[in-house]
């Protein structure tokens, strides 16, 4: 609702995508293992590590999606994928997907 109302601002700061995903793995990996699930990551070709954006909000979003997947998946795996969805001179658009077998 904040986004729709134009009241949410996004930070634009350099960050490492790998570090963001490692943080996600550290926070969610044990919980997945405790439930007998495997947490997998698939980083597509051409996905850069160094980005400019809001790593905190990205991390929060991914933690929420992976947390829901863990909660509602009884067996199997949860896979976080990142792929290049579009690219221009100095801009890249990434697609994040969270899939589970639940």
């Amino acid at each position: 609702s904040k986004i729709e109302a134009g009241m949410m601002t996004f930070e634009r700061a350099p960050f490492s995508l790998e570090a963001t995903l490692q943080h996600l793995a550290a926070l969610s990996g044990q919980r997945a293992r405790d439930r007998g699930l495997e947490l997998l990551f698939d980083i597509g070709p051409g996905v850069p590590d160094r980005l400019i954006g809001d790593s905190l909000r990205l991390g929060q979003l991914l933690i929420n999606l992976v947390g829901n997947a863990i909660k509602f998946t009884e067996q199997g795996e949860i896979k976080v994928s990142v792929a290049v969805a579009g690219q221009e001179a100095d801009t890249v658009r990434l697609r994040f997907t969270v899939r589970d077998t639940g």
Side-chain angles (χ1 to χ4, degrees), residues 17 46-51 84 92 94:
L17 179 60
V47 173
D49 177 52
R50 300 299 304 159
L51 300 169
V84 174
V92 65
L94 301 177

Side-chain angles (χ1 to χ4, degrees), residues 45-62:
V47 173
D49 177 52
R50 300 299 304 159
L51 300 169
I52 296 177
D54 195 329
S55 65
L56 178 62
R57 295 227 192 266
L58 175 61
Q60 289 172 335
L61 177 76
L62 292 172

Side-chain angles (χ1 to χ4, degrees), residues 22-99:
Q22 285 177 351
H23 183 68
L24 173 63
L27 290 175
S28 303
Q30 187 60 50
R31 187 166 164 231
R33 284 188 296 279
D34 290 347
R35 291 187 44 98
L37 304 170
E38 191 171 4
L39 180 59
L40 305 171
F41 292 87
D42 179 27
I43 311 304
V47 173
D49 177 52
R50 300 299 304 159
L51 300 169
I52 296 177
D54 195 329
S55 65
L56 178 62
R57 295 227 192 266
L58 175 61
Q60 289 172 335
L61 177 76
L62 292 172
I63 288 168
N64 186 27
L65 293 173
V66 169
N68 284 341
I70 291 169
K71 184 190 310 186
F72 296 109
T73 302
E74 293 183 22
Q75 62 182 0
E77 66 186 30
I78 295 150
K79 185 176 186 180
V80 179
S81 300
V82 186
V84 174
Q87 194 163 4
E88 294 179 18
D90 62 346
T91 302
V92 65
R93 188 173 62 248
L94 301 177
R95 177 177 322 240
F96 292 83
T97 308
V98 178
R99 293 190 182 185

Side-chain angles (χ1 to χ4, degrees), residues 8-27:
M8 180 174 278
T9 58
F10 293 95
E11 184 175 319
R12 289 187 43 84
F15 72 97
S16 165
L17 179 60
E18 181 180 353
T20 299
L21 295 177
Q22 285 177 351
H23 183 68
L24 173 63
L27 290 175

